[in-house]
């Protein structure tokens, strides 16, 4: 009888699911909505129903389920609150195992799981120690050391977005602190920087709603002001990643998330400032753009239960 | 027949050795000089001879040898140059195993090994994830994650002393970079800061050779200028350790090295600035002064081969 493995990436509005063969081939992927009402009580049952439906269609057995969650997770699959879903502290792993009868279940933080996915099937291929940073509305981080996710003692390992990078007039972050990387390297942060000191001589002056893409497009087209913002972005991220390297000394960095769609302009500028700030032994690490996009989560999730 | 384990801590001028029982009791400790002449070719043979002499005195067998080296080490015991000793790249582990006939040999970076020692028998007891920072002439770092040393992909994991903490007029570091933590939190760095802006109204103005101890003693006695220097020291170290926490999320920090002899004034000021800079989920970690002093190295070294 055919055996399958499922990778699940639970986001704030949609759940992405992937059905994989026992050799790690993606057979099919689909999405369901994330029902956050009533303190997120339907989220896991909806996922379990959807997996069972897919299994029944195909016949065969589900041998393992891996899942990424946007909140701090312990190594043994306990979520330590997930504000987006209204979840408190409970074992997602045990709940999922009980609901499905599948014994091989692993649950991790979504940023860490995405990093594992990029290492397995994306631009981190061939490495076993990488740092992935995801630049979207916020800044997420995932650290893989010797093939394993570094979760930390309370699930807050790899919280790169909240490393403090600005000490002079730092901007207040959603986390309550000031000067966090997230305020300078996320899409939101780039737009804020661009608006703050906007100059008449920039192409951005004519934009109605400035986006991070406008800033990178402007810089590529030679706009001096846009280039300045890109340099500021690169300096902040380069400094933060050099901090990270002095701690975990990875083989490579992978940069993903919506902002990374701007392309090599991102890795070029980050690498420049990284090398300015890293000590000799840590210079010249590899910098890659992520390759898997939104699929990194399902790949990383299933990787935790495969092999 | 009695069985013994040996912990070796190789320093720039002396080698510290400890003979341990198979339950991890320290039976005896002694030192020999580190002969760095002729590219350090005598260092390992001197150590092997000294161990054999001790073994012959007691009778019995050596079942394991652990060693800490002041240079970058890979997980499998290869040193990647050690300038102090004139060593290039070679397997210290294999050399030691060949010279002694002992199969159970492990070699690590000295700062990492000391961290393991403090976790096992010192102020990190009861934890399995700690960050140790050693404040001496330089600033060393050792990171233990889930009971294991975090070496990084090229042995440069835990190089906390070279995290950049000052961006305005940064001081040049021995590593070639500027603004490294080591220039502000080592004994040397504290003295440099104290001298740079020395004021007539400080007790330090009467010191012929200012030491880090003078600065901390002055601060304890209420000297305003000394207190300012202590605050600067604490802020730099607190920022660096908060950077580290955002990456590895340890259970506790242990602060050792000569500077830490100043006592709780150190942990108090570092903890204050750490909490100012760490994100919510990472605040309120434990801060301890190291307990084992110069013995941390032999304890950590033997711990690698025991159990």
């Amino acid at each position: 009888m055919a055996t399958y493995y499922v990778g699940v990436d639970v986001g704030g509005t949609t759940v992405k699911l992937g059905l994989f063969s026992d050799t790690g081939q993606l057979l099919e992927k689909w999405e369901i909505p994330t029902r956050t009402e009533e303190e997120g009580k339907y989220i896991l049952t909806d996922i379990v129903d959807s997996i069972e439906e897919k299994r029944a269609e195909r016949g065969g057995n589900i041998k393992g389920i891996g899942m990424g969650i946007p909140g701090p997770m312990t190594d043994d699959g306990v979520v330590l609150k997930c504000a987006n879903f209204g979840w408190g502290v409970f074992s997602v792993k045990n709940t999922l195992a009980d609901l499905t009868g599948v014994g091989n279940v692993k649950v991790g933080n979504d940023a860490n799981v995405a990093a594992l996915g990029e290492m397995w099937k994306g631009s981190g291929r061939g490495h076993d120690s990488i740092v992935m940073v995801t630049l979207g509305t916020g800044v997420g981080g995932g650290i893989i050391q010797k093939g394993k996710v570094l979760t930390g003692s309370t699930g807050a390992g790899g919280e790169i977005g909240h490393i403090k990078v600005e000490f002079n007039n730092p901007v207040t972050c959603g986390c309550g602190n000031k000067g966090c990387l997230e305020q300078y390297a996320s899409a939101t942060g780039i737009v804020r920087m661009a608006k703050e000191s906007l100059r008449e001589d920039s192409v951005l002056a004519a934009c109605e709603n400035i986006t991070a893409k406008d800033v990178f497009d402007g810089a590529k087209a030679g706009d001096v002001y846009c280039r300045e913002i890109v340099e500021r972005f690169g300096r902040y991220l380069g400094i933060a990643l050099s901090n990270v390297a002095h701690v975990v000394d990875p083989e490579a960095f992978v940069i993903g998330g919506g902002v990374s769609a701007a392309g090599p302009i991102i890795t070029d500028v980050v690498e420049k400032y990284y090398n300015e700030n890293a000590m000799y032994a840590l210079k010249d690490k590899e910098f890659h753009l992520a390759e898997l996009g939104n699929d990194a989560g399902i790949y990383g999730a299933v990787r935790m239960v495969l092999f």
Side-chain angles (χ1 to χ4, degrees), chain A residues 101-116:
Chain A
V102 174
N104 181 13
V105 173
K106 289 216 173 108
V107 187
N109 167 270
D110 60 351
N112 290 332
V113 166
L116 195 61

PDB file of all heavy atoms in Angstrom, chain A residues 101-116:
ATOM      1  N   GLY A 101      -3.898   9.627  14.836  1.00  0.00           N
ATOM      2  CA  GLY A 101      -3.371   8.271  15.038  1.00  0.00           C
ATOM      3  C   GLY A 101      -2.008   8.064  14.397  1.00  0.00           C
ATOM      4  O   GLY A 101      -1.473   6.956  14.383  1.00  0.00           O
ATOM      5  N   VAL A 102      -1.427   9.157  13.873  1.00  0.00           N
ATOM      6  CA  VAL A 102      -0.077   9.041  13.289  1.00  0.00           C
ATOM      7  C   VAL A 102       0.946   9.282  14.406  1.00  0.00           C
ATOM      8  O   VAL A 102       0.852  10.264  15.140  1.00  0.00           O
ATOM      9  CB  VAL A 102       0.114  10.086  12.154  1.00  0.00           C
ATOM     10  CG1 VAL A 102       1.559  10.081  11.648  1.00  0.00           C
ATOM     11  CG2 VAL A 102      -0.859   9.805  11.015  1.00  0.00           C
ATOM     12  N   GLY A 103       1.913   8.362  14.540  1.00  0.00           N
ATOM     13  CA  GLY A 103       2.876   8.499  15.635  1.00  0.00           C
ATOM     14  C   GLY A 103       4.017   9.459  15.319  1.00  0.00           C
ATOM     15  O   GLY A 103       4.520  10.149  16.191  1.00  0.00           O
ATOM     16  N   ASN A 104       4.404   9.491  14.047  1.00  0.00           N
ATOM     17  CA  ASN A 104       5.554  10.287  13.617  1.00  0.00           C
ATOM     18  C   ASN A 104       5.120  11.728  13.290  1.00  0.00           C
ATOM     19  O   ASN A 104       4.838  12.057  12.147  1.00  0.00           O
ATOM     20  CB  ASN A 104       6.183   9.587  12.402  1.00  0.00           C
ATOM     21  CG  ASN A 104       7.411  10.314  11.886  1.00  0.00           C
ATOM     22  OD1 ASN A 104       7.952  11.202  12.534  1.00  0.00           O
ATOM     23  ND2 ASN A 104       7.839   9.930  10.689  1.00  0.00           N
ATOM     24  N   VAL A 105       5.037  12.556  14.336  1.00  0.00           N
ATOM     25  CA  VAL A 105       4.587  13.940  14.167  1.00  0.00           C
ATOM     26  C   VAL A 105       5.648  14.876  14.733  1.00  0.00           C
ATOM     27  O   VAL A 105       6.167  14.636  15.823  1.00  0.00           O
ATOM     28  CB  VAL A 105       3.248  14.177  14.920  1.00  0.00           C
ATOM     29  CG1 VAL A 105       2.871  15.656  14.898  1.00  0.00           C
ATOM     30  CG2 VAL A 105       2.136  13.337  14.309  1.00  0.00           C
ATOM     31  N   LYS A 106       5.989  15.921  13.979  1.00  0.00           N
ATOM     32  CA  LYS A 106       6.899  16.941  14.521  1.00  0.00           C
ATOM     33  C   LYS A 106       6.360  18.322  14.178  1.00  0.00           C
ATOM     34  O   LYS A 106       5.795  18.536  13.098  1.00  0.00           O
ATOM     35  CB  LYS A 106       8.308  16.772  13.960  1.00  0.00           C
ATOM     36  CG  LYS A 106       8.998  15.535  14.514  1.00  0.00           C
ATOM     37  CD  LYS A 106      10.485  15.733  14.724  1.00  0.00           C
ATOM     38  CE  LYS A 106      11.091  14.536  15.431  1.00  0.00           C
ATOM     39  NZ  LYS A 106      11.932  13.727  14.537  1.00  0.00           N
ATOM     40  N   VAL A 107       6.535  19.240  15.117  1.00  0.00           N
ATOM     41  CA  VAL A 107       6.029  20.593  14.930  1.00  0.00           C
ATOM     42  C   VAL A 107       7.135  21.575  15.291  1.00  0.00           C
ATOM     43  O   VAL A 107       7.819  21.400  16.300  1.00  0.00           O
ATOM     44  CB  VAL A 107       4.798  20.844  15.833  1.00  0.00           C
ATOM     45  CG1 VAL A 107       4.165  22.195  15.511  1.00  0.00           C
ATOM     46  CG2 VAL A 107       3.770  19.727  15.671  1.00  0.00           C
ATOM     47  N   GLY A 108       7.325  22.581  14.442  1.00  0.00           N
ATOM     48  CA  GLY A 108       8.366  23.569  14.720  1.00  0.00           C
ATOM     49  C   GLY A 108       7.885  24.974  14.402  1.00  0.00           C
ATOM     50  O   GLY A 108       6.794  25.167  13.842  1.00  0.00           O
ATOM     51  N   ASN A 109       8.712  25.950  14.762  1.00  0.00           N
ATOM     52  CA  ASN A 109       8.412  27.337  14.416  1.00  0.00           C
ATOM     53  C   ASN A 109       8.519  27.520  12.901  1.00  0.00           C
ATOM     54  O   ASN A 109       9.422  26.972  12.270  1.00  0.00           O
ATOM     55  CB  ASN A 109       9.406  28.244  15.149  1.00  0.00           C
ATOM     56  CG  ASN A 109       9.378  29.662  14.630  1.00  0.00           C
ATOM     57  OD1 ASN A 109      10.103  30.007  13.703  1.00  0.00           O
ATOM     58  ND2 ASN A 109       8.510  30.472  15.190  1.00  0.00           N
ATOM     59  N   ASP A 110       7.616  28.294  12.304  1.00  0.00           N
ATOM     60  CA  ASP A 110       7.553  28.382  10.839  1.00  0.00           C
ATOM     61  C   ASP A 110       8.841  28.908  10.182  1.00  0.00           C
ATOM     62  O   ASP A 110       9.232  28.430   9.124  1.00  0.00           O
ATOM     63  CB  ASP A 110       6.322  29.175  10.373  1.00  0.00           C
ATOM     64  CG  ASP A 110       6.304  30.603  10.892  1.00  0.00           C
ATOM     65  OD1 ASP A 110       7.143  30.948  11.745  1.00  0.00           O
ATOM     66  OD2 ASP A 110       5.437  31.367  10.433  1.00  0.00           O
ATOM     67  N   ALA A 111       9.502  29.878  10.847  1.00  0.00           N
ATOM     68  CA  ALA A 111      10.729  30.432  10.247  1.00  0.00           C
ATOM     69  C   ALA A 111      11.850  29.387  10.267  1.00  0.00           C
ATOM     70  O   ALA A 111      12.608  29.260   9.305  1.00  0.00           O
ATOM     71  CB  ALA A 111      11.172  31.692  10.986  1.00  0.00           C
ATOM     72  N   ASN A 112      11.916  28.630  11.353  1.00  0.00           N
ATOM     73  CA  ASN A 112      12.919  27.565  11.435  1.00  0.00           C
ATOM     74  C   ASN A 112      12.628  26.472  10.412  1.00  0.00           C
ATOM     75  O   ASN A 112      13.535  25.934   9.776  1.00  0.00           O
ATOM     76  CB  ASN A 112      12.920  26.945  12.834  1.00  0.00           C
ATOM     77  CG  ASN A 112      13.484  27.893  13.882  1.00  0.00           C
ATOM     78  OD1 ASN A 112      14.312  28.738  13.576  1.00  0.00           O
ATOM     79  ND2 ASN A 112      13.024  27.748  15.110  1.00  0.00           N
ATOM     80  N   VAL A 113      11.353  26.139  10.286  1.00  0.00           N
ATOM     81  CA  VAL A 113      10.948  25.076   9.359  1.00  0.00           C
ATOM     82  C   VAL A 113      11.244  25.494   7.915  1.00  0.00           C
ATOM     83  O   VAL A 113      11.751  24.696   7.111  1.00  0.00           O
ATOM     84  CB  VAL A 113       9.454  24.746   9.580  1.00  0.00           C
ATOM     85  CG1 VAL A 113       8.904  23.911   8.436  1.00  0.00           C
ATOM     86  CG2 VAL A 113       9.257  24.030  10.920  1.00  0.00           C
ATOM     87  N   ALA A 114      10.992  26.756   7.591  1.00  0.00           N
ATOM     88  CA  ALA A 114      11.288  27.248   6.231  1.00  0.00           C
ATOM     89  C   ALA A 114      12.792  27.154   5.954  1.00  0.00           C
ATOM     90  O   ALA A 114      13.215  26.810   4.848  1.00  0.00           O
ATOM     91  CB  ALA A 114      10.803  28.681   6.070  1.00  0.00           C
ATOM     92  N   ALA A 115      13.595  27.466   6.971  1.00  0.00           N
ATOM     93  CA  ALA A 115      15.056  27.373   6.806  1.00  0.00           C
ATOM     94  C   ALA A 115      15.462  25.934   6.487  1.00  0.00           C
ATOM     95  O   ALA A 115      16.302  25.679   5.621  1.00  0.00           O
ATOM     96  CB  ALA A 115      15.758  27.856   8.077  1.00  0.00           C
ATOM     97  N   LEU A 116      14.832  24.998   7.181  1.00  0.00           N
ATOM     98  CA  LEU A 116      15.116  23.582   6.930  1.00  0.00           C
ATOM     99  C   LEU A 116      14.732  23.201   5.502  1.00  0.00           C
ATOM    100  O   LEU A 116      15.447  22.463   4.815  1.00  0.00           O
ATOM    101  CB  LEU A 116      14.342  22.738   7.947  1.00  0.00           C
ATOM    102  CG  LEU A 116      14.731  21.281   8.109  1.00  0.00           C
ATOM    103  CD1 LEU A 116      16.172  21.134   8.573  1.00  0.00           C
ATOM    104  CD2 LEU A 116      13.784  20.595   9.111  1.00  0.00           C
TER     105      LEU A 116
END
